[in-house]
Amino acid sequence: MSKNARILEGPPRTLETNISLGQFILDNLRKHYDHVFEINAETGQFLTYKDMLEKTVKLTEALKKRNIKVGDKVSIIAENHCNWFVAMYASIYLGTVVAPMNPTYTEVELKHVLSISKPQIIFVSRRTEKLVSKVAPSLPWNIELIELDDKALNSNVPTIESLLKTIDYDIDYHRYTIVDIGDNKKRPVVILCSSGTTGLPKGVALSHWNLLNLATTIGTPDYLGITKGSRLLAFLPFYHGYGFGMIILATCNGSTAVRITNFSPDLLFKSIEKYRINFLPLVPSVLIILAKHPAAPTYDFRSVKRAFCGAAPLPKEILMEAKKRLNIKSIENGYGMTELTVVTGISNKTGNNDSALNNIVPGVKCKIINPETQETLGPMQKGELCVKGDHILMLGYYNNLKATNETVDKDGWLHTGDIGYYNEAGDLYVIDRLKELIKYKGYQVSPVEIEVLLLSHPAVKDVAVAGKPDELAGELPTAFIAKQPNSEVNPQEIIDFVKNQLSPHKWLRGGVHFLESIPRNSTGKVMRRELRNLASRL
């Protein structure tokens, strides 16, 4: 804790460098040249750091021929693919801004998020090529598609493999130089989708400086302890800040990522055993699988030395059972936001209290405020968590100054929308959400987005969406609807209506319930806490 007893602080920040993230990645690919970069958990096929170095540099040269330059926008819309980070790193070398997107987005959602970054090139897979090919021509700027798989569905779409073959001249990979991006604190490198504290998805712009700090801090022994000998399981989606951040950490520490594309409990268990996974990044829904799945005890998990769980609060009973099955002392808990460069603090390795955030990231300050008065609160007082730190704070929501100013105050404090408190020892606990987002299996689901869609249904007079508590998923999106007079609509029709237009994590898995009227306060705002309480009883 700082001299100001009401401010929690991490240790002093030490990183001072003006290199680009691309240069840092390139240097590490060279440094770990002979090590295995990633393994396909299903096939055993692998890429070395040498393979990644050569493929990323060649793709950089191919993209130069397409006149891609500093500040241009590139997107990746694909599942966890062996060429996903080939496309990412090559684009970063060129100083572009990369906007990864959820491959399960529907046409409506895709148009919205693409309109934020307006990419000139979109890397797709065979799973996403058809939809993106349909959406791209309807947008008011020119977009070229490049296929990550070795063969495209449409013969007019070039593949990464075909582009690499066009680079038929010798390259000195160990002396190859990349573009100067200028000030790494001001130059964005990625735009990650996030619902922030409320509303439709927004684009979180993170700088080279932001991600360099993540890469050089969070992997150290004081935090996650990711090293050259680490073998981590990469089932988290690469487009998500958590999954993306873990591969950046692996790359910059010479670790090996065992990639899962098609997640299943059986593949999870087999991969941990077969590839002797020693670092396990988790989300609560997968922690629950480890704790409760009847097949888990039949596998050998003794290789796991460290496990880390983020993206949602940890149920204590599940945590204890998972530790028992993994035979480890601690499952470290992490807190962060995309807007705060993924990780803000983690618990310690003792296992004495896995939910206490003891280790705040260097250079970061945290405080708890009364959300009504903005007063800074003392120990054991619950309020909204606010976080500050120039090196972890996003550049802003891309092209959305209004939303940025609503989230970050004039003094540089980001208001997280989460409820927390700290004790006399300075241990921080995040316990609830002030914001309206529903957390389904680690995904942030905006109730407003679903409500806007449901209000377009002719049978819906008024609607509110809230989260129904669920042991496996965290929360299930649940709709409360006031019907139009004389309407005969039934719950399944509403469920199907949402299924047809929104991606799976936004489906109404908690059901549809009809009310005479939607509870609102005197200013017309939906009383979501009341609805969440109602949902928990249904």
Side-chain angles (χ1 to χ4, degrees):
M1 210 178 301
S2 71
K3 291 179 182 178
N4 179 348
R6 296 190 169 203
I7 304 292
L8 303 178
E9 289 190 37
R13 172 171 57 79
T14 57
L15 179 70
E16 291 294 341
T17 179
N18 197 37
I19 68 169
S20 68
L21 178 66
Q23 186 63 58
F24 192 67
I25 288 167
L26 191 61
D27 291 345
N28 277 285
L29 292 180
R30 291 166 175 159
K31 180 180 178 181
H32 306 296
Y33 195 66
D34 295 324
H35 203 60
V36 175
F37 176 80
E38 71 122 63
I39 303 170
N40 182 330
E42 295 170 71
T43 67
Q45 292 177 301
F46 64 91
L47 288 171
T48 64
Y49 278 74
K50 174 178 182 289
D51 296 329
M52 284 295 292
L53 174 63
E54 294 179 359
K55 291 179 82 169
T56 54
V57 168
K58 280 188 174 183
L59 184 57
T60 301
E61 290 292 290
L63 292 175
K64 280 183 184 176
K65 292 183 178 182
R66 283 166 155 70
N67 200 32
I68 298 299
K69 55 190 183 302
V70 175
D72 286 347
K73 314 299 186 303
V74 171
S75 187
I76 306 173
I77 307 174
E79 69 282 4
N80 289 7
H81 192 286
C82 64
N83 281 329
W84 203 100
F85 275 90
V86 174
M88 169 61 74
Y89 290 167
S91 301
I92 290 175
Y93 295 169
L94 284 168
T96 72
V97 186
V98 187
M101 293 172 191
N102 186 336
T104 68
Y105 275 151
T106 65
E107 185 176 341
V108 173
E109 293 166 321
L110 206 51
K111 285 182 178 179
H112 170 72
V113 293
L114 285 170
S115 69
I116 295 172
S117 55
K118 296 183 171 60
Q120 290 119 297
I121 285 180
I122 302 176
F123 289 94
V124 296
S125 69
R126 288 172 67 91
R127 295 187 190 184
T128 61
E129 182 186 331
K130 185 177 179 181
L131 177 60
V132 180
S133 295
K134 180 182 178 184
V135 170
S138 70
L139 299 171
W141 68 92
N142 293 327
I143 297 173
E144 180 185 15
L145 270 56
I146 298 176
E147 175 63 62
L148 296 175
D149 284 301
D150 290 344
K151 188 174 181 181
L153 299 175
N154 185 329
S155 59
N156 293 325
V157 174
T159 66
I160 280 186
E161 182 184 43
S162 68
L163 293 182
L164 297 184
K165 288 178 179 176
T166 65
I167 310 303
D168 55 2
Y169 44 85
D170 291 336
I171 298 173
D172 186 341
Y173 296 104
H174 286 275
R175 294 185 180 179
Y176 185 78
T177 57
I178 61 175
V179 68
D180 181 359
I181 61 154
D183 189 343
N184 68 1
K185 295 182 181 180
K186 295 180 180 177
R187 176 71 63 186
V189 62
V190 290
I191 299 172
L192 298 172
C193 288
S194 171
S195 293
T197 54
T198 186
L200 295 169
K202 294 179 279 291
V204 175
L206 297 178
S207 68
H208 288 256
W209 174 244
N210 289 149
L211 289 174
L212 280 166
N213 273 278
L214 174 77
T216 56
T217 301
I218 303 302
T220 61
D222 288 340
Y223 293 88
L224 296 185
I226 297 174
T227 66
K228 191 170 183 177
S230 297
R231 292 182 300 281
L232 61 91
L233 197 59
F235 67 86
L236 301 163
F238 292 163
Y239 66 83
H240 190 282
Y242 187 2
F244 173 79
M246 290 308 305
I247 302 300
I248 293 283
L249 287 172
T251 304
C252 296
N253 289 283
S255 306
T256 298
V258 177
R259 174 175 50 86
I260 287 181
T261 302
N262 305 300
F263 181 86
S264 70
D266 184 54
L267 184 57
L268 171 76
F269 302 151
K270 285 181 178 177
S271 299
I272 295 171
E273 181 179 89
K274 179 178 179 180
Y275 297 104
R276 311 301 296 157
I277 298 299
N278 52 32
F279 184 87
L280 195 56
L282 299 167
V283 289
S285 57
V286 176
L287 192 70
I288 289 168
I289 292 172
L290 283 165
K292 303 194 77 172
H293 197 287
T298 66
Y299 289 86
D300 182 359
F301 297 149
R302 286 176 296 176
S303 62
V304 177
K305 304 303 179 190
R306 297 188 76 169
F308 175 79
C309 194
L314 297 172
K316 190 166 185 177
E317 297 75 15
I318 297 297
L319 187 66
M320 291 172 65
E321 183 61 28
K323 286 197 289 187
K324 182 180 174 183
R325 287 189 172 185
L326 289 169
N327 194 31
I328 56 176
K329 184 168 58 175
S330 172
I331 295 177
E332 290 154 75
N333 181 27
Y335 175 79
M337 294 173 66
T338 308
E339 290 84 346
L340 294 168
T341 315
V342 186
V343 181
T344 303
I346 66 171
S347 60
N348 63 33
K349 296 173 278 190
T350 64
N352 295 331
N353 193 338
D354 299 282
S355 60
L357 300 169
N358 318 85
N359 298 322
I360 305 298
V361 171
V364 169
K365 297 180 180 181
C366 300
K367 68 177 179 178
I368 303 295
I369 66 165
N370 181 321
E372 301 297 327
T373 66
Q374 306 300 298
E375 174 196 2
T376 301
L377 302 176
M380 306 308 293
Q381 293 180 287
K382 295 175 184 177
E384 183 181 11
L385 171 63
C386 296
V387 182
K388 188 176 185 179
D390 66 322
H391 60 298
I392 55 108
L393 187 64
M394 65 175 175
L395 291 174
Y397 292 117
Y398 194 73
N399 286 338
N400 195 338
L401 183 60
K402 180 177 181 291
T404 303
N405 290 338
E406 288 171 352
T407 304
V408 183
D409 66 27
K410 60 182 176 58
D411 296 318
W413 289 97
L414 184 138
H415 294 243
T416 66
D418 288 317
I419 298 292
Y421 69 94
Y422 63 93
N423 61 20
E424 294 286 354
D427 299 329
L428 178 64
Y429 297 82
V430 180
I431 56 171
D432 204 346
R433 288 191 305 285
L434 185 67
K435 57 193 177 184
E436 299 174 344
L437 294 180
I438 297 164
K439 276 289 186 78
Y440 171 75
K441 292 189 175 179
Y443 287 97
Q444 292 182 332
V445 179
S446 167
V448 175
E449 184 179 5
I450 303 173
E451 288 164 1
V452 168
L453 173 63
L454 288 172
L455 284 169
S456 71
H457 193 289
V460 175
K461 179 182 178 182
D462 197 4
V463 61
V465 173
K468 177 180 180 179
D470 181 82
E471 185 180 59
L472 180 63
E475 289 180 315
L476 302 175
T478 306
F480 297 90
I481 290 174
K483 294 189 288 186
Q484 294 285 9
N486 304 317
S487 169
E488 297 297 326
V489 69
N490 63 53
Q492 192 59 49
E493 288 176 57
I494 297 294
I495 289 169
D496 291 339
F497 178 72
V498 171
K499 269 190 176 183
N500 290 334
Q501 299 191 63
L502 295 179
S503 45
H505 59 281
K506 300 172 188 175
W507 292 355
L508 297 173
R509 299 175 192 273
V512 173
H513 306 279
F514 295 115
L515 303 176
E516 289 295 318
S517 62
I518 302 300
R520 295 178 182 272
N521 65 16
S522 58
T523 61
K525 291 184 179 179
V526 174
M527 298 169 70
R528 288 191 202 279
R529 188 174 296 276
E530 185 176 319
L531 289 175
R532 283 200 297 270
N533 291 338
L534 176 58
S536 68
R537 298 194 298 268
L538 295 171

